[in-house]
């Protein structure tokens, strides 16, 4: 009995060492690629170099974060307790972790609301019990975090493998996601047109006043339009995920960020920064994969949480007159109209008028419950890259073309394999024609 137990233990250790070996090989590969990308920098006089100098001291420390995250992942992989858990237990553990995150967010809101309340004379004393409770919840969540990350990564991996992304029972690169306080992102666009010409991750913890100060400094120094914004995830390795209690959002973002990793050695990923077209295609593909795989993960592992199908419209007789409801504020449609009109004004050289128009529209969005802090060229340069749905992309043809290519593809893997070779709108349209011809030839 002892010998069998010893052999089983040794087998687990050897398996763990094999997993660590694969992780370190991938980490070394990604580190090598990162060093090569950094080495291929722009000349000192270019705009991004000058803005980079201005942001010195505020940039996020990816190297330090990456080392700490990888060490934590490797340490967890030595044991990998999720591999010895029944699926029902994994289901419960992950949902319990998300509930802890929800409790953290609720407690933080309770504390923040107390500090905002002008009637509270001593907010420190008033929130002392809540602060203690928050520390306890955070400690428990921290204790469970690596296990929760491993569970959701393996669930997404299983669905990806069934979709054809992998060989010999292993998707590559392996999924690795880490909940963490995310850096902010500064995005810069020219004022006379909308284009992402510079983006840089900034240290987390900045407040709104600091965002405004950074944007003012960049805008006045270089006559550009800039935006400091939050992000939901970042395709570092492990992927950086915003701490969230939303199951749907978490599994979608895990798959979304993995798609960036998958595309990295392929033309669409390798040339991510080559042009705005390539970036938009890449992000749109990742959004499509994230939503499709996320929906399948939800249906397979958390079927009780799948949202119900929308109810069919009632067949009301034509002779029945009803008072029409006032039209609701359609965020996507309103944002699309704003982008289209801003593009028109900028194309006519009416820059000041375009910026005044965008600020006017921002106030309308705020009045309708959408807390947009700044709506400018940089806002559209960032949000317009996610073109899987109408909105900030305006009339950009890339989003509909990518969606159409997905519709012409028999499955998700075929779609990604086709588009992974694409880097421009012209190549995308050619791939679309080829897919349409194949579909027609196949009957």
């Amino acid at each position: 009995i002892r010998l069998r137990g010893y052999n089983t233990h040794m087998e687990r250790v050897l398996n763990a060492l094999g997993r660590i070996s694969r992780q370190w090989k991938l980490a070394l590969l990604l580190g090598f690629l990162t060093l090569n990308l950094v080495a291929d920098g722009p000349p000192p006089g270019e705009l991004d170099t000058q803005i980079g100098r201005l942001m010195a001291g505020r940039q996020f420390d990816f190297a330090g974060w990456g080392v700490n995250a990888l060490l934590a992942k490797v340490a967890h992989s030595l044991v990998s307790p999720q591999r010895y858990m029944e699926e029902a237990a994994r289901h419960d553990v992950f949902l319990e972790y998300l509930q802890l995150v929800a409790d953290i967010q609720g407690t933080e809101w309770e504390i923040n609301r107390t500090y905002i309340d002008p009637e509270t004379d001593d907010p420190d004393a008033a929130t002392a019990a809540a602060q203690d409770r928050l520390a306890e919840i955070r400690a428990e969540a921290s204790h469970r975090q690596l296990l929760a990350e491993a569970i959701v990564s393996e669930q997404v991996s299983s669905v990806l493998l069934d979709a054809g992304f992998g060989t010999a029972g292993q998707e590559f690169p392996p999924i690795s996601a880490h909940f963490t306080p995310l850096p902010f992102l500064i995005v810069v666009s020219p004022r006379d047109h909308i284009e992402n010409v510079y983006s840089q991750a900034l240290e987390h913890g900045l407040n709104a006043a600091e965002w405004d100060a950074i944007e003012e400094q960049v805008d006045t120094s270089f006559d550009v339009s800039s935006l400091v914004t939050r992000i939901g995830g970042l395709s570092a390795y492990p992927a950086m995920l915003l701490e969230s209690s939303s199951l749907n959002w978490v599994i979608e973002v895990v798959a979304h960020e993995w798609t960036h990793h998958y595309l990295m050695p392929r033309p669409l990923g390798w040339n991510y920064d080559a042009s705005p077209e390539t970036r938009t295609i890449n992000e749109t593909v990742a959004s499509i994969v994230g939503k499709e795989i996320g929906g399948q993960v939800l249906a397979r592992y958390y079927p009780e949480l799948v949202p119900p199908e929308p109810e069919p419209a009632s067949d009301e007789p034509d002779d029945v007159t009803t008072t029409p409801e006032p039209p609701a504020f359609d965020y996507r449609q309103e944002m699309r109209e704003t982008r289209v009109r801003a593009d028109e004004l900028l194309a006519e050289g009416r820059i000041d008028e375009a910026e005044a128009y965008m600020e006017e529209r921002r106030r309308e969005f705020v009045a309708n419950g959408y807390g947009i802090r700044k709506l400018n060229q940089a806002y559209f340069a960032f949000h317009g890259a996610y073109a899987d749905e109408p909105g900030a992309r305006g009339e950009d043809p890339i989003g509909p073309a990518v969606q159409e290519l997905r519709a012409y593809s028999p499955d998700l893997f075929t779609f990604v394999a086709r588009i992974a070779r694409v880097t421009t709108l012209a190549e995308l349209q050619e791939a679309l024609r080829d897919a349409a011809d194949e579909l027609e030839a196949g009957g």
Side-chain angles (χ1 to χ4, degrees):
I1 295 173
R2 287 183 180 176
L3 183 58
R4 278 203 305 270
Y6 175 77
N7 288 338
T8 302
H9 174 72
M10 287 301 296
E11 183 180 347
R12 291 177 180 174
V13 170
L14 289 174
N15 288 338
L17 290 174
R19 291 194 296 273
I20 293 172
S21 175
R22 289 195 299 271
Q23 290 178 2
W24 277 114
K25 286 178 182 176
L26 181 59
L28 289 172
L29 171 62
L30 293 175
F32 172 76
L33 294 176
T34 301
L35 289 174
N36 276 276
L37 289 172
V38 171
D40 186 22
E46 291 196 1
L47 177 64
D48 48 2
T49 306
Q50 297 179 52
I51 299 176
R53 287 191 187 129
L54 199 63
M55 294 295 103
R58 290 188 175 274
Q59 298 177 356
F60 185 78
D61 180 13
F62 280 105
W65 180 90
V67 168
N68 291 332
L70 277 174
L71 287 176
K73 291 290 187 183
V74 168
H76 180 83
S77 69
L78 284 171
V79 183
S80 295
Q82 76 281 356
R83 295 181 181 271
Y84 311 107
M85 296 171 61
E86 297 291 337
E87 196 55 57
R90 290 154 61 99
H91 168 284
D92 293 345
V93 165
F94 189 65
L95 291 184
E96 287 167 5
Y97 173 77
L98 293 184
Q99 183 57 54
L100 287 171
V101 174
D103 292 343
I104 288 170
Q105 293 171 336
T107 307
E108 287 179 337
W109 169 240
E110 176 188 337
I111 293 169
N112 291 339
R113 186 173 53 191
T114 303
Y115 274 90
I116 294 171
D117 185 1
E119 301 298 324
T120 304
D121 295 328
D122 188 353
D124 290 342
T127 61
Q131 294 282 8
D132 291 340
R133 186 169 71 253
L134 177 61
E136 291 176 3
I137 302 172
R138 276 214 167 273
E140 180 63 23
S142 178
H143 177 68
R144 299 189 183 200
Q145 178 178 332
L146 289 171
L147 177 58
E149 292 169 355
I151 289 172
V152 72
S153 294
E154 291 186 5
Q155 289 173 341
V156 174
S157 172
S158 176
V159 173
L160 284 169
L161 287 173
D162 288 349
F165 295 93
T167 55
Q170 175 66 60
E171 84 287 355
F172 186 85
I175 292 179
S176 186
H178 191 54
F179 297 109
T180 182
L182 287 176
F184 294 101
L185 190 71
I186 181 169
V187 180
V188 178
S189 169
R191 292 181 63 214
D192 61 358
H193 68 281
I194 294 169
E195 179 186 357
N196 185 344
V197 296
Y198 176 85
S199 59
Q200 173 66 53
L202 304 178
E203 59 186 338
H204 58 77
L206 299 173
N207 58 41
E210 290 171 308
W211 302 348
D212 286 341
I214 290 171
E215 292 162 351
E216 177 68 18
Q217 187 178 21
V218 171
D219 291 353
T220 56
S221 297
F222 304 105
D223 191 27
V224 294
S225 169
S226 66
L227 176 75
V228 177
T229 182
R230 299 179 187 274
I231 54 177
L234 198 61
S235 56
Y237 196 85
M240 307 174 72
L241 303 185
L242 179 67
E243 193 176 57
S244 172
S245 60
S246 169
L247 175 62
N248 291 19
W249 186 88
V250 167
I251 55 181
E252 280 188 17
V253 174
V254 170
H256 178 113
E257 299 303 335
W258 176 84
T259 306
H260 289 309
H261 295 158
Y262 181 82
L263 293 173
M264 186 178 179
R266 295 165 173 82
L268 181 56
W270 188 254
N271 295 286
Y272 181 91
D273 289 320
S275 73
E277 286 183 356
T278 309
R279 185 182 301 113
T280 300
I281 297 170
N282 188 300
E283 291 291 354
T284 305
V285 171
S287 294
I288 290 173
V289 174
K291 289 178 180 177
E292 288 198 30
I293 295 298
Q296 293 175 39
V297 171
L298 191 68
R300 178 179 299 184
Y301 295 104
Y302 307 94
E304 75 282 8
L305 298 178
V306 175
E309 293 289 333
E311 295 183 4
S314 61
D315 297 327
E316 193 172 84
D318 293 337
D319 57 348
V320 175
T321 59
T322 58
T323 304
E325 293 289 333
F329 187 85
D330 186 334
Y331 170 83
R332 290 193 178 93
Q333 182 60 33
E334 295 291 337
M335 186 59 73
R336 180 185 180 280
E337 292 179 6
T338 305
R339 170 66 189 267
V340 170
R341 181 55 180 159
D343 280 333
E344 291 173 351
L345 292 171
L346 292 173
E348 296 168 5
R350 299 153 67 183
I351 298 174
D352 291 339
E353 187 175 340
E355 291 173 341
Y357 167 73
M358 286 186 280
E359 171 58 19
E360 177 187 340
R361 291 292 288 160
R362 184 192 72 82
R363 294 173 182 271
E364 291 183 30
F365 280 101
V366 172
N368 282 277
Y370 296 94
I372 299 175
R373 182 181 61 89
K374 180 171 285 190
L375 185 60
N376 59 5
Q377 296 90 328
Y379 178 96
F380 285 117
F382 175 68
H383 291 281
Y386 301 84
D388 58 310
E389 293 182 346
R393 65 176 172 83
E395 293 187 327
D396 188 338
I398 289 176
V402 175
Q403 292 279 15
E404 194 172 0
L405 183 60
R406 173 63 188 101
Y408 285 162
S409 303
D411 52 60
L412 188 63
F413 178 77
T414 302
F415 162 69
V416 175
R418 283 171 168 169
I419 207 165
R421 303 187 295 269
V422 168
T423 60
T424 66
L425 176 59
E427 292 175 353
L428 174 58
Q429 291 169 336
E430 182 179 356
L432 191 55
R433 287 192 295 270
D434 292 342
D437 291 342
E438 289 179 14
L439 189 64
E440 184 176 352

